[in-house]
Amino acid sequence: IMAEKHDGFIITNPEGAAITEFTGSLLIKGEPDGSSFPNGSLRMTNAARGYTAWDPTSPAYIMHTANGATLMIPSVFLSWTGEALDKKIPLLRSNAAMDKAARKVLTLMGEDKIATLNASCGAEQEYFLIDEHFANLRPDLLLAGRSLFGAPPAKGQQFDDHYFGAIPARVQVFMQAYEDKLYRLGIPAKTHHNEVAPGQFEIAPYFESSNVAADHQQLMMTLMKSTAKEHGFLCLLHEKPFAGVNGSGKHVNWSVGNATQGNLLDPGSTPHDNLNFLLFCGAVIRGVHKHGGLLRAVIASASNDHRLGANEAPPAILSVYLGDQLESVFNDIKAGKLLEKAKGGLMDLGLSQILKFERDPGDRNRTSPFAFTGNRFEFRAVGSSQSVSGPLVAMNTMLADSLDWIAEKLEAALANGTDKTAAVIIVLKELMELHGNVIFGGDGYSEAWHKEAVEVRGLKNLPTSADALPEFKDPAVVDLFIKTGVLSKDELLSRFEVYAEQYILSLEVEAKLVIDMATTQIYPAVTQHLTHLADVSQTLSGLSLTLENTDLAEAVTQANAMMSAVNELKAALEEHDFDSTEAHMGFSAKTLCPLLVKVREHADKLETMVADDLWPLPKYQEMLFIK
């Protein structure tokens, strides 16, 4: 969500009267505390000075609230010693590095007019809406963003009837109000619709330059939550707020281009002839192969771990999907040839009232984490609650590195007298031989792929954040950011510390919530239910009647097992003897997470046994279906 610091325009003049003044110096430089934010020890309390500085490339805007109008100025945030404390400075640096490397390649390709290159971004945002009356009775939703308890309802998403269903009227009113606010701030929405899970929805804004898109994404998440509250909803951006139904992602559509060469990831009608496209697409392939671990690290969080690899999200193994036609083009290059490729052909349904249309030359693959979708790549593994800046920084930086590599190889080939087309084929052939293993068009969920990816192709499988976040400390990643000038070593390692701490703290908060809710809400409700059943049984016994209820003994067993697991969890939380941050994360992933699941399994069984009027928490069937 956005970070804000508000300054008033009121000052006093020499006569002591109050006047309103807004100076250029105030616009250009502000001075907030630089030590009170997560900063990975870049700033300590005794060295607290920080600066904000106006970013004129991202439009300022007026935010209207019940309190009046506020001028909002997009700004970078840095320390007194010059380190980036925010996500905007690395994003701007990464775009500059990509622009510099891309110009080298385009110049070698004979382009003489080259406008500044920009990455563009269009992020599809998924979210859940829950009635606030239910949400306010769920401490887990309020404090952790997801339900830590909840038995599966009789009906979930198994009928697949929600996605193309009509949008509930109350939700439609919310969407209209929300998009009206966005439009007034210069963020027009392209689409909105139901998503697969009940209670789940999606909005997609227009494509924009990456820096502006990242700012707008932060604003969208902030406004989404506040507007939902105005309409009696709690907006959940957690990646997996409800077990057993689809979670939410943020599909980051990314491309690169400028005003003179256009979109350099658009193959046109003949991709095999579009040499600039082939080089830039090849650079992406190399980048994902070399830095798949980094791409996994920038989407790592305790919440996204619940989603990656599930049926609605790509696996944690980073691979590239190109589609049949484009994959065939690159395989031909690898084989040393380049043949003309067929188009997709006409879609003819045999119905006179339905016009024929040209279908795409390749299908889509929703199991791929990094997929080419016609004129851009879609990074599908980004979490719904995450900023798009981290993924954009990683993609821009790896692209800059790969374009530098291509420029060096291309320059050498051209210097030997090789003509331009042949030089491109030589460079891309070597690239495919080194990095073609990352291309995969099959089922990313299959066990066979997971085995092949790791054992045959040598790709990394980093299933949890505890596995992924140490990638920030990998020497190759450190070198990548230093040589491109995007992040210094200290700036990079500080981000590892911040993200690792957030991962550990998130799981500890969930553990404390589980202990509290199980002890003070669920267990008392179970004992009350058992007491009632015992009283009824005793009364019937006095009347020479017998209550046949096998659930009574089962409920006692489950209650005792739940509290035993709670005690295990309490003991685990008291463990603090860790040699390193990595060890602490590993403990959180391998010990705390299974114990959370263990407590929940018993509690969810009890939910199906305890009288409905005694169960203290709103159930899935209420939260997901009542709108």
Side-chain angles (χ1 to χ4, degrees), residues 353-410:
Q353 66 270 43
I354 304 297
L355 295 177
K356 298 176 183 179
F357 59 89
E358 185 77 24
R359 69 178 180 181
D360 293 303
D363 201 352
R364 288 194 175 187
N365 188 330
R366 301 189 70 83
T367 71
S368 173
F370 211 93
F372 185 74
T373 55
N375 60 1
R376 62 193 183 273
F377 280 91
E378 182 181 22
F379 194 6
R380 294 180 48 81
V382 181
S384 57
S385 67
Q386 296 176 321
S387 165
V388 299
S389 295
L392 287 170
V393 167
M395 291 187 287
N396 289 346
T397 306
M398 73 180 194
L399 180 61
D401 175 64
S402 290
L403 289 172
D404 278 336
W405 182 89
I406 285 174
E408 181 181 336
K409 298 287 183 180
L410 191 60

Side-chain angles (χ1 to χ4, degrees), residues 472-515:
F472 282 116
K473 301 172 73 173
D474 185 285
V477 172
V478 175
D479 180 64
L480 168 72
F481 281 105
I482 291 175
K483 74 179 182 181
T484 54
V486 175
L487 288 169
S488 69
K489 184 176 181 179
D490 285 345
E491 288 172 327
L492 180 61
L493 296 183
S494 75
R495 279 146 180 81
F496 164 75
E497 294 293 341
V498 169
Y499 302 148
E501 182 181 42
Q502 290 178 342
Y503 174 74
I504 292 165
L505 291 176
S506 295
L507 292 180
E508 288 182 355
V509 166
E510 290 191 355
K512 292 173 183 177
L513 276 168
V514 164
I515 291 169

Side-chain angles (χ1 to χ4, degrees), residues 580-608:
S580 64
T581 301
E582 288 88 339
H584 198 170
M585 284 197 297
F587 175 82
S588 299
K590 296 175 183 177
T591 301
L592 284 188
C593 284
L595 285 175
L596 290 173
V597 172
K598 188 175 181 180
V599 176
R600 177 175 187 155
E601 286 176 348
H602 298 298
D604 288 355
K605 288 178 181 177
L606 287 166
E607 182 183 324
T608 66

Side-chain angles (χ1 to χ4, degrees), residues 236-561:
L236 298 175
L237 295 178
H238 192 288
E239 281 71 17
K240 196 75 170 179
F242 299 101
V245 299
N246 276 18
S248 298
K250 184 179 289 177
H251 304 161
V252 176
N253 295 279
W254 169 72
S255 60
V256 175
N258 61 7
T260 46
Q261 279 71 45
N263 181 0
L264 289 159
L265 289 178
D266 186 351
S269 58
T270 55
H272 48 285
D273 291 332
N274 189 338
L275 298 181
N276 285 346
F277 162 75
L278 290 174
L279 286 173
F280 276 76
C281 188
V284 174
I285 292 169
R286 178 183 181 273
V288 176
H289 185 243
K290 275 186 66 70
H291 301 294
L294 171 63
L295 288 174
R296 174 64 181 93
V298 297
I299 57 169
S301 70
S303 54
N304 209 20
D305 282 357
H306 292 285
R307 171 179 163 268
L308 292 179
N311 287 339
E312 79 282 0
I317 302 170
L318 267 294
S319 62
V320 175
Y321 172 77
L322 296 178
D324 294 341
Q325 182 193 35
L326 198 53
E327 184 174 342
S328 178
V329 168
F330 276 95
N331 283 335
D332 282 347
I333 292 173
K334 185 177 181 180
K337 58 184 180 180
L338 188 59
L339 303 177
E340 185 171 348
K341 301 300 168 187
K343 295 184 177 181
L346 284 178
M347 181 68 76
D348 184 0
L349 299 178
L351 299 171
S352 59
Q353 66 270 43
I354 304 297
L355 295 177
K356 298 176 183 179
F357 59 89
E358 185 77 24
R359 69 178 180 181
D360 293 303
D363 201 352
R364 288 194 175 187
N365 188 330
R366 301 189 70 83
T367 71
S368 173
F370 211 93
F372 185 74
T373 55
N375 60 1
R376 62 193 183 273
F377 280 91
E378 182 181 22
F379 194 6
R380 294 180 48 81
V382 181
S384 57
S385 67
Q386 296 176 321
S387 165
V388 299
S389 295
L392 287 170
V393 167
M395 291 187 287
N396 289 346
T397 306
M398 73 180 194
L399 180 61
D401 175 64
S402 290
L403 289 172
D404 278 336
W405 182 89
I406 285 174
E408 181 181 336
K409 298 287 183 180
L410 191 60
E411 187 173 27
L414 292 172
N416 289 333
T418 310
D419 73 79
K420 186 168 63 177
T421 300
V424 169
I425 299 304
I426 290 171
V427 173
L428 289 178
K429 184 178 187 298
E430 181 180 355
L431 185 149
M432 284 296 294
E433 289 170 349
L434 293 172
H435 306 290
N437 275 355
V438 79
I439 297 173
F440 177 67
D443 181 2
Y445 295 157
S446 68
E447 291 184 15
W449 163 240
H450 283 230
K451 185 175 181 180
E452 177 187 340
V454 176
E455 297 180 7
V456 179
R457 303 197 185 199
L459 305 182
K460 293 181 178 180
N461 184 9
L462 305 169
T464 72
S465 294
D467 302 307
L469 288 174
E471 291 292 314
F472 282 116
K473 301 172 73 173
D474 185 285
V477 172
V478 175
D479 180 64
L480 168 72
F481 281 105
I482 291 175
K483 74 179 182 181
T484 54
V486 175
L487 288 169
S488 69
K489 184 176 181 179
D490 285 345
E491 288 172 327
L492 180 61
L493 296 183
S494 75
R495 279 146 180 81
F496 164 75
E497 294 293 341
V498 169
Y499 302 148
E501 182 181 42
Q502 290 178 342
Y503 174 74
I504 292 165
L505 291 176
S506 295
L507 292 180
E508 288 182 355
V509 166
E510 290 191 355
K512 292 173 183 177
L513 276 168
V514 164
I515 291 169
D516 182 64
M517 293 173 68
T519 304
T520 66
Q521 291 184 284
I522 296 174
Y523 189 71
V526 174
T527 56
Q528 190 176 355
H529 174 72
L530 293 175
T531 300
H532 175 68
L533 287 181
D535 290 342
V536 171
S537 180
Q538 187 175 5
T539 300
L540 292 176
S541 178
L543 298 173
S544 299
L545 298 172
T546 302
L547 175 66
E548 293 187 8
N549 192 339
T550 56
D551 286 346
L552 181 58
E554 178 63 16
V556 171
T557 299
Q558 293 296 336
N560 289 336

